[in-house]
Amino acid sequence: FPFGRRLPCDIYWHGVSFHDNNIFSGQVNKFPGMMETVRKITLSRAMRTMQDLFPLEYNFYPRSWILPEELPLFVAEVRVMKDSDPSWKPTFIVKPDGGCQGDGIYLIKDPSDIRLTGSIQSRPAVVQEYICKPLLVDKLKFDIRLYVLLKSLEPLEIYIAKDGLSRFCTEPYQEPTLKNLHQVFMHLTNYSLNIHSENFIHSDSVNTGSKRTFSSILCRLSSRGADVKKLWSDIISLVIKTIIALTPELKVYYQSDIPSGKPGPTCFQILGFDILLMKNLKPMLLEVNANPSMRIEHEQELSPGVFENVPSPVDEEVKVAVIRDTLRLVDPQKKKRKDAQCFVTRTAVTRWHGWHEYHEQAAPVEGGVEGDELWSLPSPPSVILCRRCPRLEHTAESSESLLDALPAERPEPDAPRSPEAGLPSLCLKQVFPKYAKQFSYLRLVDRVAALFIRFLGVKGTTKLGPTGFRTFIRNCKLSNSNFSMAAVDILYIDITRRWNSMGIDHKESGMCLQAFVEAFFCLAQKKYKSLPLHEQVLSLIEFCECHLAALDEKRLLWGWG
Ligand code: ADP
């Protein structure tokens, strides 16, 4: 809209990020703050928090340190690990924050090899354990780009595309040695790098060449006897757990850009997950991309220096389906049709089974959206009347295992005369809330973020002031003779100063969410000394929520609003 928009739209499709504060309705294809949340440093921090709470569940992200601030920690930890196991000969990968397409990445064998030039100060980075034993196909290292649709943040709705891309290196892989550390075509799978290799193979077939479909790799693995079902199940877990790690930060941005009083818009976003398979088929997360390339062409050099864009069937097969199905899922017309269908279904069931009888016995699904038909029926018939609210689907299907979420998918039961009848079955598979039950215990930081947001006070902010922090302590009854309000102030100042000195965001002063999470963990450890960390945190969350609920009730009684 080069000359501005006149009419509101149903769907807004931004190129890069959420940036338009003049939208009050419809759906936008970006979440506020997503770019910031998935940057290498922020992602590593969020994963570290989850690894501290749930080390086993989050072992799919390589151990990472943030440079320059954690350089001494990195050096010290590596020394301790080497001392305890002299046979450990690690390799590390240094990745500049905010970099992409392999830009500025290098491998090292020892912490002392970090290039401590001026750039590390001006350009922070993540240093990460290098996965030395990746799965090879045709002797080549490759990674997987999977497309994930975050359809809604509250309630959380996640879809995964049934197919993705596999991007291949162009030199046969060897485990890292001092001699081959610099060979990017051997160690880095980025398409943008390997395309410049003379070994790069453009192929019109989806199962040969330097870029293939993920399904073609799965076929190959399956024919070699690999447990492909288990692999899919692990990938789904990885995606859900990663998004669970990101949602607290996203919610802080969301309430700042789209406060709860504002009518809209709602957001959705296609994310690119970069995953590496280890030799033993364990998927490891490399990074999350907020702006995955949706190009369906590639550049071909016709003669030296002369390039032409030619169609890329592999990209087309995967990406067109992702965009088409994202639009199908967020289609505002579909919602209207579903509402109408829901009315018809209810009428029919009422007529056939005696709706009122069931209605009497049915229980509302916890946490459902007000105004929706949130009634699950006791058997018979054990069906859900209205599939509009995803939480209902969860109650209906949560007993299914993750293994059901496989590429071989049953077609969506669309109404015969639906405009979608002529389209292929959906390539996007819902995994959350479908499997919510198995993962909900991990959503602790979400609850900490809810406390943080409650005390933020002024609309539009993302940082907590000292008064907000004091109010949080007072309302949750956390101060006592052992923990005075003066100590509260010192805790606030110490943690906030340290986080602000890391220089992430100077726009606002105050305590950011990660700093609040650190303070919260500190309080939890103080109060519940002997428990493991996740139980300490859970106990403190419950303690706070309980006091706040009592306070809300009191306010309601006294009409304080
Ligand atoms: P960029 O955003 O610059 O592409 P990535 O984190 O995706 O950065 O890393 C680039 C490439 O480096 C990946 O595609 C992968 O091939 C390789 N890589 C990244 N991290 C690791 C790791 N921890 N172990 C092994 N290879 C890695």
Side-chain angles (χ1 to χ4, degrees):
F1 295 95
F3 307 111
R5 278 188 307 262
R6 294 209 184 84
L7 291 171
C9 305
D10 288 325
I11 294 175
Y12 298 83
W13 199 277
H14 286 307
V16 180
S17 62
F18 182 93
H19 58 263
D20 193 338
N21 281 322
N22 295 322
I23 304 176
F24 296 97
S25 63
Q27 303 181 71
V28 187
N29 73 328
K30 303 282 174 193
F31 279 91
M34 183 65 89
M35 291 261 283
E36 293 79 356
T37 307
V38 299
R39 279 174 79 104
K40 292 182 172 64
I41 287 186
T42 338
L43 175 71
S44 297
R45 283 212 173 95
M47 296 308 257
R48 166 102 51 89
T49 303
M50 296 309 285
Q51 286 172 334
D52 287 346
L53 286 170
F54 303 103
L56 291 181
E57 288 86 340
Y58 279 83
N59 65 6
F60 59 84
Y61 189 68
R63 208 180 337 212
S64 307
W65 297 264
I66 289 150
L67 300 176
E69 74 208 41
E70 290 181 352
L71 183 59
L73 184 72
F74 171 51
V75 173
E77 288 193 359
V78 172
R79 191 178 308 133
V80 170
M81 286 187 279
K82 277 188 173 171
D83 287 349
S84 66
D85 177 8
S87 67
W88 187 54
K89 299 268 178 285
T91 304
F92 302 96
I93 181 164
V94 184
K95 312 195 240 183
D97 188 42
C100 60
Q101 306 189 328
D103 172 36
I105 291 182
Y106 59 96
L107 304 188
I108 54 171
K109 288 298 259 178
D110 191 84
S112 61
D113 300 333
I114 284 184
R115 294 175 200 159
L116 274 176
T117 54
S119 70
I120 200 82
Q121 294 298 335
S122 54
R123 196 173 179 196
V126 165
V127 58
Q128 197 169 70
E129 236 182 299
Y130 186 73
I131 298 155
C132 291
K133 294 186 191 300
L135 179 76
L136 305 182
V137 165
D138 299 336
K139 300 199 174 104
L140 299 169
K141 175 175 171 178
F142 67 97
D143 77 351
I144 308 159
R145 159 62 56 87
L146 267 192
Y147 296 93
V148 170
L149 170 66
L150 179 57
K151 185 165 173 275
S152 154
L153 196 55
E154 193 75 89
L156 188 58
E157 277 185 75
I158 309 168
Y159 289 74
I160 301 184
K162 286 189 294 186
D163 206 353
L165 297 170
S166 306
R167 298 159 311 178
F168 280 72
C169 278
T170 39
E171 286 285 340
Y173 183 77
Q174 286 165 10
E175 284 195 29
T177 60
L178 280 175
K179 270 197 179 147
N180 70 30
L181 278 188
H182 313 287
Q183 298 194 26
V184 287
F185 296 150
M186 176 186 289
H187 291 291
L188 307 188
T189 49
N190 299 78
Y191 165 79
S192 50
L193 293 174
N194 284 282
I195 183 110
H196 300 295
S197 156
E198 56 188 26
N199 296 337
F200 192 93
I201 303 170
H202 286 293
S203 163
D204 283 353
S205 153
V206 293
N207 54 12
T208 56
S210 299
K211 202 193 259 188
R212 313 180 192 175
T213 58
F214 179 43
S215 53
S216 76
I217 303 289
L218 287 175
C219 271
R220 205 149 150 184
L221 292 177
S222 174
S223 69
R224 284 192 212 162
D227 189 350
V228 172
K229 274 193 171 191
K230 159 100 172 56
L231 173 57
W232 256 113
S233 163
D234 289 346
I235 289 177
I236 291 170
S237 289
L238 174 153
V239 168
I240 295 176
K241 287 174 187 171
T242 304
I243 295 208
I244 285 177
L246 299 175
T247 51
E249 191 83 39
L250 285 175
K251 284 183 182 172
V252 173
Y253 281 108
Y254 199 89
Q255 61 79 39
S256 150
D257 272 284
I258 311 171
S260 48
K262 199 174 162 185
T266 54
C267 303
F268 64 93
Q269 188 152 356
I270 298 171
L271 301 168
F273 272 64
D274 290 350
I275 293 170
L276 191 71
L277 296 184
M278 292 186 15
K279 211 173 181 171
N280 60 3
L281 284 192
K282 181 180 167 56
M284 297 290 287
L285 177 72
L286 296 181
E287 74 161 350
V288 180
N289 239 285
N291 277 312
S293 160
M294 285 298 171
R295 281 191 67 169
I296 52 170
E297 298 169 320
H298 61 76
E299 265 181 12
Q300 212 164 35
E301 195 166 12
L302 296 178
S303 53
V306 183
F307 291 92
E308 188 193 41
N309 281 332
V310 294
S312 163
V314 183
D315 287 289
E316 197 166 328
E317 173 151 340
V318 173
K319 295 176 182 173
V320 169
V322 170
I323 294 195
R324 181 195 63 217
D325 291 348
T326 297
L327 290 172
R328 281 162 85 185
L329 284 170
V330 302
D331 175 9
Q333 295 303 321
K334 187 171 180 174
K335 189 173 180 315
K336 283 178 202 157
R337 281 196 304 275
K338 269 197 171 173
D339 288 350
Q341 213 177 318
C342 169
F343 175 76
V344 173
T345 317
R346 190 173 66 181
T347 318
V349 176
T350 310
R351 222 168 271 150
W352 289 106
H353 299 287
W355 160 255
H356 293 290
E357 244 168 70
Y358 285 121
H359 194 280
E360 291 294 292
Q361 299 169 45
V365 178
E366 207 185 320
V369 185
E370 218 176 278
D372 273 347
E373 296 292 339
L374 294 173
W375 306 99
S376 58
L377 293 179
S379 56
S382 77
V383 294
I384 295 285
L385 279 191
C386 172
R387 312 202 95 224
R388 192 166 107 205
C389 171
R391 291 193 177 199
L392 279 179
E393 288 197 18
H394 150 219
T395 53
E397 301 178 32
S398 56
S399 58
E400 287 180 44
S401 82
L402 291 189
L403 304 186
D404 295 327
L406 282 167
E409 181 92 343
R410 54 179 181 266
E412 280 281 303
D414 277 324
R417 271 182 291 120
S418 139
E420 295 194 14
L423 293 175
S425 65
L426 280 174
C427 81
L428 290 168
K429 165 84 188 171
Q430 194 201 72
V431 293
F432 203 97
K434 185 167 183 175
Y435 305 119
K437 259 194 183 164
Q438 292 157 69
F439 296 94
S440 52
Y441 73 100
L442 299 173
R443 301 186 71 187
L444 289 187
V445 187
D446 250 9
R447 287 163 75 182
V448 177
L451 295 171
F452 176 78
I453 290 169
R454 176 177 169 134
F455 291 97
L456 273 181
V458 188
K459 277 185 181 168
T461 56
T462 55
K463 290 194 175 170
L464 190 65
T467 315
F469 191 69
R470 280 178 140 247
T471 315
F472 154 69
I473 297 284
R474 223 180 267 129
N475 287 5
C476 295
K477 305 216 180 313
L478 292 176
S479 92
N480 51 38
S481 53
N482 286 332
F483 187 51
S484 65
M485 287 312 277
V488 169
D489 289 340
I490 291 171
L491 179 73
Y492 176 88
I493 292 167
D494 271 359
I495 293 187
T496 304
R497 189 178 292 156
R498 193 155 39 74
W499 277 88
N500 288 345
S501 73
M502 292 178 204
I504 305 143
D505 170 16
H506 289 302
K507 276 180 272 164
E508 266 183 74
S509 64
M511 183 181 242
C512 62
L513 173 69
Q514 294 105 321
F516 181 77
V517 170
E518 185 183 324
F520 197 89
F521 283 17
C522 195
L523 295 169
Q525 279 161 328
K526 227 188 213 145
K527 200 169 166 59
Y528 304 99
K529 288 192 180 72
S530 56
L531 299 173
L533 181 65
H534 70 271
E535 285 181 34
Q536 292 173 335
V537 171
L538 177 61
S539 304
L540 189 62
I541 291 172
E542 284 171 351
F543 183 86
C544 293
E545 287 176 348
C546 180
H547 280 292
L548 293 174
L551 192 70
D552 287 346
E553 212 168 287
K554 217 153 112 192
R555 284 185 176 161
L556 210 66
L557 271 178
W558 288 85
W560 290 347

